[in-house]
Amino acid sequence: MIRKSRFGQLLLKKEVIDLKTLEKALMIQAEEDPVDGRGLGEILIDDFKINHHAVYGLLAELYAFRSLDIEVSTLEPSQIKHTKEILAKFPENFKKELLYKRVLPYQISYGRRNTLIVLAADPTDKISEKIPSNSEYKKYEVVYCKLKTIEELIELIAPQKNEFLDLLQEAEENIDEMSEGGSDTDVDEYALDEEINKSLLVNLFEGCLIEAVRKGASDIHVIPYRRSSVDFYFRIDGKLLRWHRQERTSPEAVSAVVKDRAVGVDRFERDTAQDGFMQRVVDDHLIRFRVSIIPITSSEYERRFESIVIRTIDDRNVITDLRKLGFQSKAESDFIKAISKSKGIILVTGPTGSGKSTTLMAALYHIIRPEVNVLTCEDPVEYHIKGARQLKIGNRFSFEAAIRSILRHDPDIVMVGEIRDKITADIAIKLANTGHLTFSTLHTNDAPSAVSRLYKMGVETFLLAYAINIIIAQRLVRQVCQNCKKPISKERWPAALALGLTEVELASGEIFEAGDGCKKCNSGYKGRTNICEALYFTPDIRKAIVESGNEIDEDEIRKIAEGQGMLSLMDSGLDRIRTGMTTVAEITYATSED
C-alpha cells in the first residue's frame, strides 16, 4: 500500500512523517468510504495534527502547482477592493462553500485571455472545478497558498458573520425601550421580562456558542452581575476573559434560555446542581457542549441565581500525534518507551486544566491498532477515540461498576479516567500486574508525590514499584505571542534571577515578556504549551520505593530521577523561557505551589 502512494513516499523522503504514522494514516484511509473518504493529506492533518503547510506544500510541489506568498499586513487597498469585487460576482451559497474550503478567488491576471487566479490551501480540492459553472470566469488557475495566509485574507476581505449576533444588534433598540418600564423589585415583572426578551436572549446565547468555538474558548461562563445584568466569559488559553455584559436582563431569564436549549436539565429546578448537554453545527463541524448549572447565593435573598459553565468539546482540537504535545526530548523518549510496553501503569498527574486528558489521548492514539482491545472508563466521556470502546457511565452503570466490569471484558489496553480511591487504585494495579497496559490520572503537585498518594491510599510499596512504568506531572503555560513579545524589562529582573536565570541571559535580549497585545493574540499571549517532569521507573527508582519502609521518601526519589536526567517542573519551565516560548511570569505562576 505504501509503495502505491507517491505522496506518502514523498512525505517520508522529506521526513514530514515517519513510517509508522504513514502506515496508520493509510490504514484509516482504506477503512473509509471510497466515495466520500478523505485524502491522505486531510487524514494526516485531522487525525495526526501534522503541519498543514508541510503536507500541502509538498502536495503542490508533487502536482506542479504554482505557489504564491502574500504578506497580508502590507496588502494594497486596491487589491483588497479588487478581490471583494470578484467575490461579489459569485452566488452567495457557492461563495460560502469556497471560503469554507479555504479557496479564495483572488485576482484577475490580464492577458490575451483573462485568467482568474484562485488561491487554495489544498490545490487538489475538486471544488475549484465548479467555478466556471458558478461564475462568469471560464478560465482559472489554482495557486497554492499557505492556510494561515488564506485565513488572514478571508478575515480581512470576507470575515465570517455570526447571524445570531447580527439579529441581536437589530433587536437591541426595541428591547431597550421595552425594558425601561420594568420595576426592579417586582418578581412578576422579571417573569414578564423573560418572555419579552426571549428572542433576544436566544440569539445572544446561540451567538455566544458560535463565538466561543471560533475564538477557541474551552469554557463559557454565564454569571449573574448585580440584579439585572449577566456577564458572559470565555476561557481562552486558560484565562477567563469577559466577552459580553447583557444589561437590563434578569439572570433568571438567561438561565431559563440556557436550560430550554440543553438536554437533561429541568428549567424549573433552581435549588440543586444540574448537568446537561447540547450539540450544534458550527462552520460545518459538529460541536458538543457540556452544561453545568449550580445554584449560588445573592445579596437579594428572594432571588434564585445560578452559575452556568459550558464546556466546548471540539474534536478538531484533539492531539493524536504524540510529538505535537511538545514534550522536551528526554521526557518524550521516556514516555514513548513507557507506553510501548505490553503492561504497566502510565500515570499523568497535575491540577484540573493541566492537559492530563490531552496527554493520555495522544498516548492512546500512538498505540491503538486493530489487533488490541482498548477500553476506556471516563465520567464523563468528552472525546470519541477511534479504535477504542468507551464505556457509557449512567445512573444504572456507575463508574465503580464500570471499573469492575473492565476486568471481565478481555482488555489489552485500559484507560481509567481518574484514580479516585483505593478501589480504583487496586484495579489499576491488578490490571498492570496481569499483563495490561493501563492509563490513568491523579491529582498531585509533582511526580514523586503521586507515589506517596497511592501509598497512603493503601497500595503496598512493592506493588507500586513494579506496576508503574512512568509518572508524568505537568502544567500548561501560555505561550508568549511571537508577534508582539519584547525583551524582559529591568524591573522584572529580580523575579527572573530568583527563578534561576542569570544576568548574562537577561542582558542577551533572548528572554522575553508579554507585549501589549496585538490582533494575533490575547494580551500578549497566544496558545499554550506544557512544562512537565517525567519520572521513569528505572531499577534504581523501583529499589528506592521498595526500601521506603513506612514513609515514601519523595526527596530521595527526586534526587535519583534528576541524577538520571529528569527535568523538574521548574527546570522544564526555565527551558521554555530560554527558548523564547513563555515568560517568567507564567512559569512563576505555574510552579508557585512547588
Side-chain angles (χ1 to χ4, degrees):
M1 188 185 292
I2 291 172
R3 287 180 183 174
K4 292 180 182 178
S5 174
R6 285 177 59 208
F7 185 35
Q9 290 285 1
L10 183 61
L11 289 165
L12 284 177
K13 183 179 177 182
K14 298 287 186 178
E15 298 182 346
V16 173
I17 57 173
D18 56 27
L19 183 59
K20 188 174 181 181
T21 301
L22 178 58
E23 288 173 343
K24 283 185 177 181
L26 289 171
M27 193 176 296
I28 291 169
Q29 188 179 27
E31 292 171 355
E32 291 194 351
D33 184 348
V35 177
D36 194 32
R38 295 173 295 166
L40 177 60
E42 198 174 348
I43 291 169
L44 288 170
I45 290 162
D46 290 348
D47 295 5
F48 298 91
K49 306 302 178 189
I50 305 299
N51 179 271
H52 190 282
H53 177 57
V55 172
Y56 282 105
L58 278 181
L59 189 65
E61 180 183 314
L62 179 65
Y63 291 106
F65 285 98
R66 189 161 62 92
S67 295
L68 191 59
D69 285 324
I70 299 168
E71 183 54 56
V72 179
S73 60
T74 60
L75 212 59
E76 292 290 334
S78 58
Q79 176 61 64
I80 296 171
K81 182 183 177 185
H82 178 54
T83 305
K84 285 182 176 179
E85 288 171 351
I86 292 172
L87 282 173
K89 295 178 181 179
F90 283 85
E92 193 62 31
N93 286 341
F94 184 62
K95 181 171 74 175
K96 283 183 180 178
E97 192 178 353
L98 283 172
L99 297 181
Y100 170 69
K101 295 275 190 144
R102 298 303 186 252
V103 175
L104 177 65
Y106 181 62
Q107 65 183 20
I108 305 295
S109 176
Y110 294 101
R112 191 163 57 88
R113 285 189 65 192
N114 296 341
T115 303
L116 175 66
I117 304 299
V118 180
L119 305 181
D122 173 8
T124 63
D125 197 310
K126 299 292 185 184
I127 192 172
S128 57
E129 296 175 2
K130 299 178 183 178
I131 288 174
S133 59
N134 283 276
S135 72
E136 64 185 52
Y137 305 106
K138 305 307 175 188
K139 186 178 180 184
Y140 66 94
E141 178 191 2
V142 178
V143 175
Y144 170 71
C145 187
K146 292 179 184 176
L147 175 64
K148 184 180 177 183
T149 303
I150 290 183
E151 287 179 340
E152 287 179 3
L153 284 168
I154 291 172
E155 185 62 31
L156 178 66
I157 294 165
Q160 287 177 310
K161 290 185 177 181
N162 188 327
E163 63 268 27
F164 293 106
L165 295 187
D166 290 343
L167 289 170
L168 174 65
Q169 193 171 4
E170 290 172 12
E172 272 182 341
E173 289 183 10
N174 295 331
I175 296 298
D176 287 348
E177 290 172 8
M178 292 178 190
S179 300
E180 285 172 3
S183 167
D184 283 348
T185 58
D186 192 341
V187 176
D188 290 333
E189 272 308 308
Y190 276 106
L192 178 62
D193 180 58
E194 175 181 332
E195 295 306 316
I196 292 172
N197 288 347
K198 192 73 182 273
S199 62
L200 171 127
L201 293 181
V202 167
N203 288 334
L204 173 63
F205 179 62
E206 293 294 337
C208 174
L209 296 180
I210 292 171
E211 288 299 293
V213 173
R214 288 178 178 171
K215 291 179 182 294
S218 61
D219 299 271
I220 304 164
H221 288 240
V222 184
I223 311 166
Y225 177 76
R226 297 178 180 166
R227 60 182 300 113
S228 58
S229 298
V230 181
D231 281 342
F232 290 76
Y233 283 83
F234 291 164
R235 187 177 292 279
I236 299 174
D237 293 338
K239 300 294 181 183
L240 282 175
L241 304 170
R242 196 177 79 188
W243 171 70
H244 177 74
R245 172 168 291 165
Q246 182 63 22
E247 303 279 9
R248 292 179 290 279
T249 302
S250 70
E252 292 95 332
V254 176
S255 294
V257 168
V258 176
K259 289 176 179 179
D260 282 348
R261 304 186 76 75
V263 176
V265 297
D266 180 357
R267 173 180 174 179
F268 301 102
E269 177 57 69
R270 294 177 179 169
D271 297 319
T272 187
Q274 297 191 75
D275 294 314
F277 70 93
M278 298 178 286
Q279 58 185 33
R280 300 287 187 274
V281 175
V282 179
D283 299 332
D284 289 338
H285 287 277
L286 181 66
I287 309 295
R288 299 187 302 281
F289 299 91
R290 197 175 74 229
V291 182
S292 171
I293 305 172
I294 57 174
I296 58 174
T297 59
S298 163
S299 58
E300 303 163 72
Y301 69 90
E302 76 280 4
R303 304 293 294 278
R304 300 166 81 181
F305 287 168
E306 292 169 295
S307 171
I308 301 170
V309 174
I310 303 169
R311 168 65 56 89
T312 62
I313 302 170
D314 187 344
D315 289 320
R316 292 172 296 177
N317 297 330
V318 175
I319 296 176
T320 56
D321 184 352
L322 200 60
R323 294 173 300 177
K324 299 295 181 183
L325 291 173
F327 282 153
Q328 282 131 325
S329 57
K330 178 71 165 61
E332 184 179 290
S333 63
D334 283 347
F335 193 42
I336 290 173
K337 188 162 50 173
I339 67 175
S340 299
K341 294 184 177 183
S342 61
K343 63 179 181 178
I345 295 174
I346 314 299
L347 201 56
V348 184
T349 79
T352 301
S354 60
K356 299 187 295 294
S357 297
T358 300
T359 297
L360 288 182
M361 198 80 65
L364 282 175
Y365 271 107
H366 188 79
I367 58 174
I368 282 178
R369 54 192 188 280
E371 57 267 29
V372 294
N373 177 17
V374 181
L375 296 177
T376 78
C377 181
E378 312 153 78
D379 185 18
V381 173
E382 288 196 351
Y383 295 100
H384 175 66
I385 304 171
K386 292 177 183 176
R389 306 176 205 178
Q390 295 173 269
L391 278 66
K392 188 175 181 179
I393 309 300
N395 293 332
R396 299 177 63 187
F397 191 45
S398 68
F399 184 80
E400 289 71 22
I403 287 288
R404 290 189 178 95
S405 68
I406 280 176
L407 291 164
R408 301 188 295 273
H409 210 72
D410 187 31
D412 296 295
I413 299 168
V414 175
M415 183 175 85
V416 178
E418 181 186 348
I419 293 180
R420 303 178 175 188
D421 48 32
K422 190 174 188 299
I423 294 172
T424 49
D426 284 343
I427 290 175
I429 294 289
K430 185 175 181 180
L431 282 164
N433 286 334
T434 51
H436 303 88
L437 192 61
T438 308
F439 295 81
S440 193
T441 67
L442 195 65
H443 290 281
T444 61
N445 287 336
D446 57 27
S449 65
V451 181
S452 293
R453 177 69 59 84
L454 290 170
Y455 177 68
K456 288 171 183 174
M457 282 182 182
V459 182
E460 297 293 338
T461 53
F462 71 91
L463 290 174
L464 284 174
Y466 293 100
I468 298 174
N469 293 352
I470 195 170
I471 300 174
I472 299 280
Q474 67 179 53
R475 303 284 188 278
L476 290 178
V477 294
R478 290 182 297 170
Q479 295 188 90
V480 68
C481 174
Q482 299 300 311
N483 189 54
C484 66
K485 67 182 180 181
K486 55 189 179 184
I488 189 168
S489 60
K490 280 273 189 181
E491 293 78 21
R492 299 182 185 271
W493 279 32
L497 292 169
L499 210 59
L501 295 165
T502 66
E503 288 193 6
V504 173
E505 288 174 320
L506 297 177
S508 68
E510 297 299 317
I511 307 297
F512 299 98
E513 64 180 60
D516 298 326
C518 63
K519 285 194 248 182
K520 296 185 178 181
C521 70
N522 294 302
S523 304
Y525 292 95
K526 183 175 176 60
R528 290 192 288 176
T529 189
N530 72 53
I531 58 172
C532 79
E533 54 185 29
L535 176 60
Y536 186 78
F537 275 46
T538 62
D540 289 339
I541 296 291
R542 298 186 196 279
K543 183 181 177 185
I545 293 171
V546 170
E547 295 176 353
S548 291
N550 295 325
E551 191 72 32
I552 299 292
D553 190 341
E554 296 178 21
D555 291 336
E556 178 63 19
I557 292 172
R558 178 174 292 284
K559 182 180 176 182
I560 294 169
E562 289 182 358
Q564 294 173 346
M566 181 188 86
L567 290 178
S568 67
L569 281 168
M570 179 64 77
D571 289 336
S572 176
L574 286 170
D575 180 66
R576 298 297 195 200
I577 294 170
R578 290 182 177 115
T579 54
M581 292 182 70
T582 191
T583 64
V584 170
E586 279 295 295
I587 299 303
T588 301
Y589 178 78
T591 59
S592 58
E593 72 272 21
D594 306 315

